[in-house]
Structure formats: C-alpha cells, structure tokens
mmCIF file of all heavy atoms in Angstrom:
data_model
loop_
_atom_site.group_PDB
_atom_site.id
_atom_site.type_symbol
_atom_site.label_atom_id
_atom_site.label_comp_id
_atom_site.label_asym_id
_atom_site.label_seq_id
_atom_site.Cartn_x
_atom_site.Cartn_y
_atom_site.Cartn_z
ATOM 1 N N ILE A 195 172.779 15.784 64.110
ATOM 2 C CA ILE A 195 172.391 16.097 65.481
ATOM 3 C C ILE A 195 173.059 15.067 66.389
ATOM 4 O O ILE A 195 172.708 13.891 66.356
ATOM 5 C CB ILE A 195 170.866 16.061 65.644
ATOM 6 C CG1 ILE A 195 170.220 17.054 64.672
ATOM 7 C CG2 ILE A 195 170.476 16.354 67.093
ATOM 8 C CD1 ILE A 195 168.730 16.954 64.588
ATOM 9 N N PRO A 196 174.046 15.484 67.158
ATOM 10 C CA PRO A 196 174.746 14.521 68.017
ATOM 11 C C PRO A 196 173.867 14.065 69.171
ATOM 12 O O PRO A 196 172.920 14.758 69.563
ATOM 13 C CB PRO A 196 175.949 15.319 68.516
ATOM 14 C CG PRO A 196 175.510 16.741 68.460
ATOM 15 C CD PRO A 196 174.552 16.844 67.291
ATOM 16 N N ASN A 197 174.178 12.908 69.700
ATOM 17 C CA ASN A 197 173.478 12.398 70.860
ATOM 18 C C ASN A 197 173.955 13.173 72.081
ATOM 19 O O ASN A 197 175.082 13.016 72.522
ATOM 20 C CB ASN A 197 173.756 10.900 71.023
ATOM 21 C CG ASN A 197 173.007 10.327 72.202
ATOM 22 O OD1 ASN A 197 172.285 11.023 72.889
ATOM 23 N ND2 ASN A 197 173.191 9.039 72.431
ATOM 24 N N MET A 198 173.083 13.988 72.619
ATOM 25 C CA MET A 198 173.473 14.852 73.736
ATOM 26 C C MET A 198 172.880 14.377 75.061
ATOM 27 O O MET A 198 172.896 15.093 76.041
ATOM 28 C CB MET A 198 173.032 16.292 73.472
ATOM 29 C CG MET A 198 173.679 16.902 72.238
ATOM 30 S SD MET A 198 175.477 16.949 72.313
ATOM 31 C CE MET A 198 175.727 18.162 73.575
ATOM 32 N N TYR A 199 172.353 13.160 75.110
ATOM 33 C CA TYR A 199 171.760 12.668 76.352
ATOM 34 C C TYR A 199 172.824 12.552 77.428
ATOM 35 O O TYR A 199 173.838 11.885 77.247
ATOM 36 C CB TYR A 199 171.089 11.308 76.116
ATOM 37 C CG TYR A 199 170.463 10.728 77.343
ATOM 38 C CD1 TYR A 199 169.295 11.273 77.855
ATOM 39 C CD2 TYR A 199 171.037 9.653 78.007
ATOM 40 C CE1 TYR A 199 168.696 10.757 78.997
ATOM 41 C CE2 TYR A 199 170.455 9.123 79.138
ATOM 42 C CZ TYR A 199 169.295 9.673 79.629
ATOM 43 O OH TYR A 199 168.713 9.158 80.760
ATOM 44 N N GLN A 200 172.615 13.215 78.535
ATOM 45 C CA GLN A 200 173.579 13.206 79.623
ATOM 46 C C GLN A 200 173.040 12.504 80.871
ATOM 47 O O GLN A 200 173.633 12.582 81.933
ATOM 48 C CB GLN A 200 173.982 14.648 79.973
ATOM 49 C CG GLN A 200 174.621 15.409 78.842
ATOM 50 C CD GLN A 200 175.939 14.798 78.403
ATOM 51 O OE1 GLN A 200 176.739 14.352 79.210
ATOM 52 N NE2 GLN A 200 176.159 14.762 77.101
ATOM 53 N N GLY A 201 171.901 11.857 80.735
ATOM 54 C CA GLY A 201 171.277 11.208 81.894
ATOM 55 C C GLY A 201 171.962 9.905 82.263
ATOM 56 O O GLY A 201 173.024 9.553 81.749
ATOM 57 N N ARG A 202 171.319 9.190 83.159
ATOM 58 C CA ARG A 202 171.841 7.909 83.635
ATOM 59 C C ARG A 202 171.922 6.910 82.479
ATOM 60 O O ARG A 202 171.007 6.816 81.662
ATOM 61 C CB ARG A 202 170.918 7.364 84.713
ATOM 62 C CG ARG A 202 171.499 6.212 85.491
ATOM 63 C CD ARG A 202 170.506 5.758 86.510
ATOM 64 N NE ARG A 202 169.576 4.888 85.778
ATOM 65 C CZ ARG A 202 168.726 4.058 86.336
ATOM 66 N NH1 ARG A 202 168.626 4.008 87.633
ATOM 67 N NH2 ARG A 202 167.941 3.311 85.624
ATOM 68 N N ARG A 203 172.992 6.190 82.404
ATOM 69 C CA ARG A 203 173.175 5.214 81.335
ATOM 70 C C ARG A 203 172.182 4.069 81.505
ATOM 71 O O ARG A 203 171.994 3.554 82.600
ATOM 72 C CB ARG A 203 174.597 4.677 81.369
ATOM 73 C CG ARG A 203 174.884 3.775 80.217
ATOM 74 C CD ARG A 203 176.313 3.325 80.231
ATOM 75 N NE ARG A 203 176.525 2.512 79.045
ATOM 76 C CZ ARG A 203 177.620 2.470 78.372
ATOM 77 N NH1 ARG A 203 178.650 3.185 78.751
ATOM 78 N NH2 ARG A 203 177.744 1.718 77.321
ATOM 79 N N ARG A 204 171.557 3.700 80.407
ATOM 80 C CA ARG A 204 170.591 2.598 80.431
ATOM 81 C C ARG A 204 171.164 1.418 79.678
ATOM 82 O O ARG A 204 171.891 1.572 78.715
ATOM 83 C CB ARG A 204 169.285 3.044 79.795
ATOM 84 C CG ARG A 204 168.603 4.137 80.571
ATOM 85 C CD ARG A 204 167.393 4.681 79.872
ATOM 86 N NE ARG A 204 166.628 3.636 79.225
ATOM 87 C CZ ARG A 204 165.651 3.858 78.368
ATOM 88 N NH1 ARG A 204 165.329 5.072 78.065
ATOM 89 N NH2 ARG A 204 165.000 2.877 77.815
ATOM 90 N N HIS A 205 170.806 0.241 80.108
ATOM 91 C CA HIS A 205 171.255 -0.976 79.442
ATOM 92 C C HIS A 205 170.058 -1.632 78.764
ATOM 93 O O HIS A 205 168.956 -1.631 79.313
ATOM 94 C CB HIS A 205 171.882 -1.934 80.453
ATOM 95 C CG HIS A 205 173.095 -1.354 81.104
ATOM 96 N ND1 HIS A 205 174.312 -1.284 80.469
ATOM 97 C CD2 HIS A 205 173.279 -0.785 82.312
ATOM 98 C CE1 HIS A 205 175.195 -0.717 81.263
ATOM 99 N NE2 HIS A 205 174.586 -0.381 82.390
ATOM 100 N N PRO A 206 170.262 -2.218 77.601
ATOM 101 C CA PRO A 206 169.157 -2.900 76.918
ATOM 102 C C PRO A 206 168.573 -3.992 77.797
ATOM 103 O O PRO A 206 169.290 -4.645 78.556
ATOM 104 C CB PRO A 206 169.803 -3.495 75.672
ATOM 105 C CG PRO A 206 171.090 -2.776 75.506
ATOM 106 C CD PRO A 206 171.508 -2.316 76.871
ATOM 107 N N ARG A 207 167.285 -4.171 77.676
ATOM 108 C CA ARG A 207 166.612 -5.206 78.451
ATOM 109 C C ARG A 207 167.007 -6.574 77.909
ATOM 110 O O ARG A 207 167.119 -6.777 76.705
ATOM 111 C CB ARG A 207 165.104 -5.037 78.347
ATOM 112 C CG ARG A 207 164.369 -6.116 79.071
ATOM 113 C CD ARG A 207 162.908 -5.911 79.061
ATOM 114 N NE ARG A 207 162.291 -7.088 79.646
ATOM 115 C CZ ARG A 207 161.016 -7.256 79.752
ATOM 116 N NH1 ARG A 207 160.196 -6.325 79.337
ATOM 117 N NH2 ARG A 207 160.526 -8.345 80.284
ATOM 118 N N THR A 208 167.178 -7.518 78.802
ATOM 119 C CA THR A 208 167.413 -8.901 78.414
ATOM 120 C C THR A 208 166.066 -9.615 78.439
ATOM 121 O O THR A 208 165.409 -9.674 79.475
ATOM 122 C CB THR A 208 168.383 -9.595 79.403
ATOM 123 O OG1 THR A 208 169.605 -8.858 79.407
ATOM 124 C CG2 THR A 208 168.655 -11.009 78.985
ATOM 125 N N TRP A 209 165.640 -10.081 77.301
ATOM 126 C CA TRP A 209 164.340 -10.738 77.183
ATOM 127 C C TRP A 209 164.447 -12.203 77.576
ATOM 128 O O TRP A 209 165.380 -12.899 77.183
ATOM 129 C CB TRP A 209 163.818 -10.652 75.756
ATOM 130 C CG TRP A 209 163.495 -9.257 75.344
ATOM 131 C CD1 TRP A 209 164.285 -8.414 74.642
ATOM 132 C CD2 TRP A 209 162.299 -8.549 75.631
ATOM 133 N NE1 TRP A 209 163.661 -7.203 74.471
ATOM 134 C CE2 TRP A 209 162.430 -7.261 75.063
ATOM 135 C CE3 TRP A 209 161.123 -8.861 76.310
ATOM 136 C CZ2 TRP A 209 161.447 -6.306 75.142
ATOM 137 C CZ3 TRP A 209 160.137 -7.907 76.395
ATOM 138 C CH2 TRP A 209 160.297 -6.647 75.821
ATOM 139 N N GLN A 210 163.491 -12.657 78.321
ATOM 140 C CA GLN A 210 163.364 -14.068 78.641
ATOM 141 C C GLN A 210 162.474 -14.706 77.590
ATOM 142 O O GLN A 210 161.599 -14.053 77.010
ATOM 143 C CB GLN A 210 162.756 -14.256 80.037
ATOM 144 C CG GLN A 210 163.546 -13.584 81.149
ATOM 145 C CD GLN A 210 164.968 -14.091 81.247
ATOM 146 O OE1 GLN A 210 165.212 -15.287 81.163
ATOM 147 N NE2 GLN A 210 165.906 -13.179 81.404
ATOM 148 N N THR A 211 162.657 -15.970 77.348
ATOM 149 C CA THR A 211 161.884 -16.674 76.333
ATOM 150 C C THR A 211 160.379 -16.545 76.573
ATOM 151 O O THR A 211 159.601 -16.400 75.644
ATOM 152 C CB THR A 211 162.278 -18.164 76.293
ATOM 153 O OG1 THR A 211 163.690 -18.236 76.100
ATOM 154 C CG2 THR A 211 161.585 -18.893 75.180
ATOM 155 N N SER A 212 159.979 -16.559 77.829
ATOM 156 C CA SER A 212 158.553 -16.534 78.159
ATOM 157 C C SER A 212 157.963 -15.121 78.218
ATOM 158 O O SER A 212 156.752 -14.967 78.358
ATOM 159 C CB SER A 212 158.323 -17.229 79.500
ATOM 160 O OG SER A 212 159.039 -16.535 80.517
ATOM 161 N N ASP A 213 158.777 -14.087 78.130
ATOM 162 C CA ASP A 213 158.276 -12.704 78.200
ATOM 163 C C ASP A 213 157.411 -12.374 76.990
ATOM 164 O O ASP A 213 157.731 -12.748 75.868
ATOM 165 C CB ASP A 213 159.429 -11.698 78.226
ATOM 166 C CG ASP A 213 160.188 -11.690 79.536
ATOM 167 O OD1 ASP A 213 159.681 -12.251 80.525
ATOM 168 O OD2 ASP A 213 161.302 -11.134 79.558
ATOM 169 N N GLU A 214 156.317 -11.657 77.245
ATOM 170 C CA GLU A 214 155.501 -11.166 76.127
ATOM 171 C C GLU A 214 156.225 -9.991 75.489
ATOM 172 O O GLU A 214 156.719 -9.101 76.172
ATOM 173 C CB GLU A 214 154.126 -10.730 76.615
ATOM 174 C CG GLU A 214 153.214 -10.338 75.488
ATOM 175 C CD GLU A 214 151.795 -10.095 75.957
ATOM 176 O OE1 GLU A 214 151.094 -11.067 76.275
ATOM 177 O OE2 GLU A 214 151.406 -8.911 76.003
ATOM 178 N N LYS A 215 156.295 -10.008 74.177
ATOM 179 C CA LYS A 215 156.985 -8.955 73.426
ATOM 180 C C LYS A 215 155.966 -8.267 72.521
ATOM 181 O O LYS A 215 155.342 -8.906 71.707
ATOM 182 C CB LYS A 215 158.115 -9.562 72.602
ATOM 183 C CG LYS A 215 159.147 -10.291 73.442
ATOM 184 C CD LYS A 215 159.855 -11.342 72.604
ATOM 185 C CE LYS A 215 160.399 -12.468 73.412
ATOM 186 N NZ LYS A 215 159.466 -13.447 73.881
ATOM 187 N N THR A 216 155.814 -6.968 72.679
ATOM 188 C CA THR A 216 154.828 -6.217 71.902
ATOM 189 C C THR A 216 155.539 -5.292 70.933
ATOM 190 O O THR A 216 156.422 -4.536 71.321
ATOM 191 C CB THR A 216 153.921 -5.393 72.830
ATOM 192 O OG1 THR A 216 153.276 -6.283 73.750
ATOM 193 C CG2 THR A 216 152.869 -4.643 72.035
ATOM 194 N N PHE A 217 155.139 -5.368 69.677
ATOM 195 C CA PHE A 217 155.677 -4.512 68.634
ATOM 196 C C PHE A 217 154.571 -3.574 68.166
ATOM 197 O O PHE A 217 153.436 -3.988 67.990
ATOM 198 C CB PHE A 217 156.175 -5.341 67.443
ATOM 199 C CG PHE A 217 157.349 -6.202 67.776
ATOM 200 C CD1 PHE A 217 157.163 -7.478 68.289
ATOM 201 C CD2 PHE A 217 158.638 -5.729 67.590
ATOM 202 C CE1 PHE A 217 158.249 -8.282 68.614
ATOM 203 C CE2 PHE A 217 159.735 -6.516 67.916
ATOM 204 C CZ PHE A 217 159.533 -7.804 68.434
ATOM 205 N N LEU A 218 154.920 -2.309 67.957
ATOM 206 C CA LEU A 218 153.973 -1.324 67.428
ATOM 207 C C LEU A 218 154.325 -1.026 65.987
ATOM 208 O O LEU A 218 155.493 -0.833 65.658
ATOM 209 C CB LEU A 218 154.037 -0.020 68.226
ATOM 210 C CG LEU A 218 153.639 -0.078 69.684
ATOM 211 C CD1 LEU A 218 153.817 1.297 70.315
ATOM 212 C CD2 LEU A 218 152.217 -0.559 69.847
ATOM 213 N N TYR A 219 153.314 -0.974 65.142
ATOM 214 C CA TYR A 219 153.498 -0.539 63.753
ATOM 215 C C TYR A 219 152.750 0.781 63.655
ATOM 216 O O TYR A 219 151.534 0.819 63.643
ATOM 217 C CB TYR A 219 152.925 -1.563 62.781
ATOM 218 C CG TYR A 219 153.405 -1.366 61.369
ATOM 219 C CD1 TYR A 219 154.155 -2.330 60.741
ATOM 220 C CD2 TYR A 219 153.106 -0.211 60.666
ATOM 221 C CE1 TYR A 219 154.601 -2.158 59.437
ATOM 222 C CE2 TYR A 219 153.552 -0.024 59.379
ATOM 223 C CZ TYR A 219 154.304 -1.002 58.769
ATOM 224 O OH TYR A 219 154.741 -0.819 57.486
ATOM 225 N N VAL A 220 153.498 1.872 63.644
ATOM 226 C CA VAL A 220 152.903 3.207 63.658
ATOM 227 C C VAL A 220 152.803 3.730 62.234
ATOM 228 O O VAL A 220 153.801 3.816 61.519
ATOM 229 C CB VAL A 220 153.741 4.180 64.513
ATOM 230 C CG1 VAL A 220 153.122 5.564 64.529
ATOM 231 C CG2 VAL A 220 153.893 3.628 65.935
ATOM 232 N N GLY A 221 151.594 4.052 61.799
ATOM 233 C CA GLY A 221 151.387 4.612 60.467
ATOM 234 C C GLY A 221 149.909 4.570 60.122
ATOM 235 O O GLY A 221 149.205 3.622 60.476
ATOM 236 N N ASN A 222 149.434 5.597 59.460
ATOM 237 C CA ASN A 222 148.045 5.608 59.032
ATOM 238 C C ASN A 222 147.781 4.454 58.082
ATOM 239 O O ASN A 222 148.680 3.968 57.396
ATOM 240 C CB ASN A 222 147.698 6.943 58.374
ATOM 241 C CG ASN A 222 147.676 8.074 59.373
ATOM 242 O OD1 ASN A 222 147.386 7.866 60.549
ATOM 243 N ND2 ASN A 222 148.018 9.259 58.931
ATOM 244 N N TYR A 223 146.528 4.020 58.038
ATOM 245 C CA TYR A 223 146.134 2.889 57.200
ATOM 246 C C TYR A 223 146.013 3.351 55.752
ATOM 247 O O TYR A 223 144.945 3.721 55.279
ATOM 248 C CB TYR A 223 144.818 2.287 57.698
ATOM 249 C CG TYR A 223 144.947 1.711 59.075
ATOM 250 C CD1 TYR A 223 144.579 2.440 60.197
ATOM 251 C CD2 TYR A 223 145.479 0.444 59.259
ATOM 252 C CE1 TYR A 223 144.721 1.913 61.471
ATOM 253 C CE2 TYR A 223 145.624 -0.093 60.525
ATOM 254 C CZ TYR A 223 145.240 0.650 61.624
ATOM 255 O OH TYR A 223 145.388 0.127 62.884
ATOM 256 N N ILE A 224 147.138 3.329 55.077
ATOM 257 C CA ILE A 224 147.208 3.739 53.671
ATOM 258 C C ILE A 224 147.946 2.635 52.923
ATOM 259 O O ILE A 224 149.060 2.262 53.314
ATOM 260 C CB ILE A 224 147.953 5.076 53.504
ATOM 261 C CG1 ILE A 224 147.227 6.187 54.261
ATOM 262 C CG2 ILE A 224 148.130 5.434 52.040
ATOM 263 C CD1 ILE A 224 147.986 7.499 54.334
ATOM 264 N N GLU A 225 147.325 2.111 51.889
ATOM 265 C CA GLU A 225 147.986 1.061 51.116
ATOM 266 C C GLU A 225 149.326 1.582 50.614
ATOM 267 O O GLU A 225 149.422 2.705 50.123
ATOM 268 C CB GLU A 225 147.098 0.637 49.944
ATOM 269 C CG GLU A 225 147.542 -0.654 49.325
ATOM 270 C CD GLU A 225 146.503 -1.249 48.381
ATOM 271 O OE1 GLU A 225 145.437 -0.627 48.182
ATOM 272 O OE2 GLU A 225 146.774 -2.331 47.869
ATOM 273 N N GLY A 226 150.360 0.795 50.754
ATOM 274 C CA GLY A 226 151.692 1.217 50.362
ATOM 275 C C GLY A 226 152.576 1.555 51.555
ATOM 276 O O GLY A 226 153.783 1.715 51.405
ATOM 277 N N LYS A 227 151.990 1.671 52.753
ATOM 278 C CA LYS A 227 152.784 1.940 53.956
ATOM 279 C C LYS A 227 153.406 0.673 54.513
ATOM 280 O O LYS A 227 154.237 0.729 55.402
ATOM 281 C CB LYS A 227 151.933 2.616 55.028
ATOM 282 C CG LYS A 227 151.519 4.014 54.665
ATOM 283 C CD LYS A 227 152.014 4.955 55.704
ATOM 284 C CE LYS A 227 151.627 6.373 55.309
ATOM 285 N NZ LYS A 227 152.413 7.336 55.995
ATOM 286 N N GLY A 228 152.997 -0.491 54.010
ATOM 287 C CA GLY A 228 153.640 -1.737 54.374
ATOM 288 C C GLY A 228 153.004 -2.537 55.492
ATOM 289 O O GLY A 228 153.565 -3.546 55.908
ATOM 290 N N GLN A 229 151.823 -2.125 55.979
ATOM 291 C CA GLN A 229 151.198 -2.905 57.045
ATOM 292 C C GLN A 229 150.925 -4.338 56.603
ATOM 293 O O GLN A 229 151.073 -5.267 57.399
ATOM 294 C CB GLN A 229 149.881 -2.259 57.515
ATOM 295 C CG GLN A 229 150.076 -1.036 58.360
ATOM 296 C CD GLN A 229 149.850 0.240 57.592
ATOM 297 O OE1 GLN A 229 150.035 0.290 56.377
ATOM 298 N NE2 GLN A 229 149.479 1.298 58.291
ATOM 299 N N ASP A 230 150.559 -4.532 55.346
ATOM 300 C CA ASP A 230 150.288 -5.883 54.852
ATOM 301 C C ASP A 230 151.558 -6.728 54.847
ATOM 302 O O ASP A 230 151.544 -7.902 55.236
ATOM 303 C CB ASP A 230 149.651 -5.841 53.464
ATOM 304 C CG ASP A 230 150.404 -4.977 52.462
ATOM 305 O OD1 ASP A 230 151.240 -4.131 52.869
ATOM 306 O OD2 ASP A 230 150.157 -5.141 51.256
ATOM 307 N N ILE A 231 152.672 -6.141 54.488
ATOM 308 C CA ILE A 231 153.950 -6.858 54.497
ATOM 309 C C ILE A 231 154.355 -7.170 55.941
ATOM 310 O O ILE A 231 154.789 -8.282 56.253
ATOM 311 C CB ILE A 231 155.042 -6.033 53.791
ATOM 312 C CG1 ILE A 231 154.672 -5.849 52.324
ATOM 313 C CG2 ILE A 231 156.416 -6.679 53.938
ATOM 314 C CD1 ILE A 231 155.501 -4.808 51.593
ATOM 315 N N GLY A 232 154.188 -6.190 56.820
ATOM 316 C CA GLY A 232 154.501 -6.396 58.231
ATOM 317 C C GLY A 232 153.649 -7.484 58.847
ATOM 318 O O GLY A 232 154.132 -8.294 59.653
ATOM 319 N N LEU A 233 152.392 -7.535 58.466
ATOM 320 C CA LEU A 233 151.483 -8.552 58.990
ATOM 321 C C LEU A 233 151.903 -9.952 58.537
ATOM 322 O O LEU A 233 151.907 -10.894 59.329
ATOM 323 C CB LEU A 233 150.057 -8.244 58.546
ATOM 324 C CG LEU A 233 148.944 -9.062 59.166
ATOM 325 C CD1 LEU A 233 148.984 -9.000 60.689
ATOM 326 C CD2 LEU A 233 147.599 -8.571 58.652
#
C-alpha cells in the first residue's frame, strides 16, 4: 500500500530537553504482550 498522503507536508517535532514526553503502550493486559518488558 503506497503512501498516498497528498496533504501539507509535516516536519517531525523537535523535542526540547525539558518537554514532557508521553509514550503509549497499546495492548490488552495479557501476559506475553510485553508490558512487563516495556515497563
């Protein structure tokens, strides 16, 4: 599936050292999905 996005070009955000960075770990709580490793 080719990238067909034709909208305005976006640039990656430049993070500052003091910026809060939030990561989401999406997945049901099932042993073996890796939440323990991620933690």
